[in-house]
Amino acid sequence: MKLTTKLLGLTALVGATQAQAVEMEVMHWWTSGGEAAAVAKFAEALNNNTEHTWVDGAIAGGGDVARPVMVSRIIGGDPPAAFQFNHGRQAEELIEAGLLLDLTDVAEAEGWEDIVNPPSLLDACTVDGRVYCAPVNIHSWQWLWLSNDAYEQAGVEVPTNWEEFVAAAPALREAGITPLAMGGQSWQQSGAFGVMAIALAGEEAWLAVNQDKDAEVARGEDYTRVFQAFADARDLADGLDVQDWNQATNAVIEGTAGGQIMGDWAQGEFAVAGMTAGEDYTCLPGLGNTAVLSTGGDAFYFPVTGDPEIEAAQKELAALLLSPEVQVAFNSAKGSLPIRGDVDLTTVNDCTTRGLELLAGDNVLPDGNLLLTQDTITQTNDLMTEFFNSDMSVEDVQEQYAQIIENAN
């Protein structure tokens, strides 16, 4: 069934209210080259297949900058039509306050329970049995991206795991190449730590800390090994002064850095640069040590406006975001995986194929955003960036981290 034909039936989702043409401001933090190319797929789908108009509300600086702006707009009575958050607990207070639109009728009419995979992503949108967001992708942090050219310049083989990555660092330094690209924002450093925790401490220890809030595991030998590796990463990143994550990715693209620990959204930057996975760059899920996906990602929420025409348009957009054609177009550009398994993915690259294989094999873990409150995440971010930008000892950072976990809920 063609997308335009399918959309003709979407007005049934809003009862007796016919969706009229609405200018829909959509707020998000996708501003890099790859991200902008991906979000344009959503805008094109809305503009070409409905009477509505996408008004782009991009906010530069990432989620830490954008989220407070979005929340302020909503609680201040000037909400956008839709906004992007990560899957997880970030919208809990807005839902409890009755400020977000209930999308349960859309989810039921579109069969989201049957198509969203893994189910945890729809569960993350569900509060007290009601659905409040539209999940649009599966993003995983669990990747190490490597510049094939950098290792060729240094005269060493492209690493296949974290230990080989560390061992190759002196050869890169000798060639004038920074081994590890790391941006200056706290979420990047904290995200890299999370990847290292799963890869080097193992899934069981990571779940004990993040899911069970077991502070003794956080104080134990498994996590000591992670913090020691994080100290190595601090040394390996010395020499590259960039702030944004995509600037760090660009250093890998240009071959001035050997690698970057970053989520699969980095693929969008490689695509914009015309690079080919497996030829120009190499991807190592789980740092090559523990091949697993953390199934996080992005979802769109829709503020309550009290205007029936806007609500009808909001529900039309929610259904559109999960339609097969839009899922393929957006996720192919974004570097993420679609949240539905019934779409044609024959055109995706080698790295995305590896991600799909991990997903199919159920080699997945919940994303930390699904398990930790935003307050705990903020505390962890602050601690990791303090460690990364100081001479704090491994012993001190590990104990402070354990105390955060001890007090988490």
Side-chain angles (χ1 to χ4, degrees):
M1 181 181 293
K2 292 183 178 179
L3 180 60
T4 51
T5 303
K6 186 175 187 294
L7 287 172
L8 293 176
L10 293 181
T11 53
L13 301 175
V14 294
T17 302
Q18 176 73 29
Q20 302 299 314
V22 173
E23 290 190 351
M24 305 186 69
E25 182 187 11
V26 183
M27 299 183 74
H28 59 87
W29 57 78
W30 291 326
T31 57
S32 75
E35 291 173 328
V39 76
K41 302 299 182 182
F42 283 154
E44 290 168 8
L46 183 74
N47 294 339
N48 295 340
N49 295 285
T50 76
E51 295 180 347
H52 313 305
T53 302
W54 179 287
V55 178
D56 203 68
I59 300 174
D64 289 346
V65 174
R67 275 188 294 269
V69 176
M70 297 173 184
V71 172
S72 178
R73 285 277 304 273
I74 294 165
I75 65 177
D78 182 28
F83 64 96
Q84 165 218 0
F85 264 18
N86 297 123
H87 299 311
R89 303 175 63 177
Q90 296 173 353
E92 281 182 347
E93 293 182 357
L94 293 174
I95 293 171
E96 292 171 358
L99 296 173
L100 299 184
L101 187 64
D102 185 337
L103 301 175
T104 306
D105 54 348
V106 181
E108 292 176 348
E110 294 293 297
W112 288 0
E113 186 174 350
D114 297 322
I115 64 174
V116 174
N117 181 47
S120 60
L121 299 184
L122 187 58
D123 292 343
C125 288
T126 305
V127 177
D128 296 331
R130 310 301 294 178
V131 177
Y132 288 93
C133 67
V136 296
N137 59 15
I138 303 168
H139 262 320
S140 176
W141 253 102
Q142 309 306 312
W143 297 92
L144 174 59
W145 307 96
L146 301 169
S147 166
N148 291 2
D149 178 62
Y151 288 94
E152 183 176 348
Q153 291 181 58
V156 292
E157 294 293 322
V158 176
T160 63
N161 57 42
W162 177 254
E163 290 75 19
E164 291 180 6
F165 179 76
V166 175
L172 292 178
R173 290 286 191 195
E174 185 68 23
I177 298 168
T178 303
L180 180 65
M182 180 69 73
Q185 295 160 325
S186 63
W187 67 268
Q188 298 178 55
Q189 294 144 11
S190 187
F193 170 79
V195 174
M196 298 175 77
I198 294 173
L200 303 178
E203 300 172 50
E204 184 177 341
W206 184 86
L207 283 170
V209 170
N210 289 270
Q211 181 171 270
D212 302 333
K213 316 300 188 291
D214 191 330
E216 292 314 304
V217 175
R219 290 188 173 97
E221 292 182 3
D222 288 335
Y223 265 73
T224 298
R225 184 165 60 252
V226 175
F227 280 106
Q228 288 171 342
F230 197 48
D232 291 339
R234 179 172 61 181
D235 295 336
L236 296 175
D238 186 43
L240 182 69
D241 184 17
V242 296
Q243 183 72 7
D244 297 331
W245 70 268
N246 53 304
Q247 293 175 312
T249 305
N250 191 58
V252 178
I253 289 171
E254 293 181 344
T256 58
Q260 179 190 23
I261 301 172
M262 186 51 60
D264 49 19
W265 49 90
Q267 281 213 91
E269 303 305 301
F270 289 113
V272 169
M275 303 188 80
T276 301
E279 296 180 13
D280 302 308
Y281 65 97
T282 295
C283 53
L284 298 181
L287 307 184
N289 294 66
T290 304
V292 66
L293 295 182
S294 56
T295 50
D298 301 289
F300 278 87
Y301 291 81
F302 302 83
V304 170
T305 66
D307 186 323
E309 291 185 359
I310 294 177
E311 180 176 322
Q314 289 171 316
K315 292 184 174 183
E316 201 168 349
L317 175 58
L320 177 65
L321 294 174
L322 271 73
S323 61
E325 295 91 338
V326 175
Q327 277 286 296
V328 172
F330 170 75
N331 285 292
S332 294
K334 191 71 163 61
S336 49
L337 303 180
I339 51 79
R340 52 189 304 161
D342 59 347
V343 294
D344 181 8
L345 295 170
T346 55
T347 60
V348 299
N349 67 32
D350 290 347
C351 292
T352 301
T353 297
R354 295 184 71 177
L356 289 168
E357 290 170 350
L358 290 171
L359 183 63
D362 201 30
N363 296 301
V364 298
L365 286 172
D367 187 77
N369 285 319
L370 304 178
L371 304 177
L372 302 172
T373 65
Q374 189 58 43
D375 179 60
T376 298
I377 292 169
T378 298
Q379 291 181 58
T380 303
N381 288 356
D382 290 345
L383 175 61
M384 296 310 162
T385 198
E386 181 184 357
F387 174 79
F388 213 83
N389 293 284
S390 70
D391 59 358
M392 183 187 296
S393 70
V394 167
E395 293 77 16
D396 284 348
V397 69
Q398 185 172 6
E399 176 55 31
Q400 290 186 48
Y401 177 69
Q403 290 176 16
I404 291 172
I405 295 302
E406 206 162 40
N407 295 312
N409 53 36

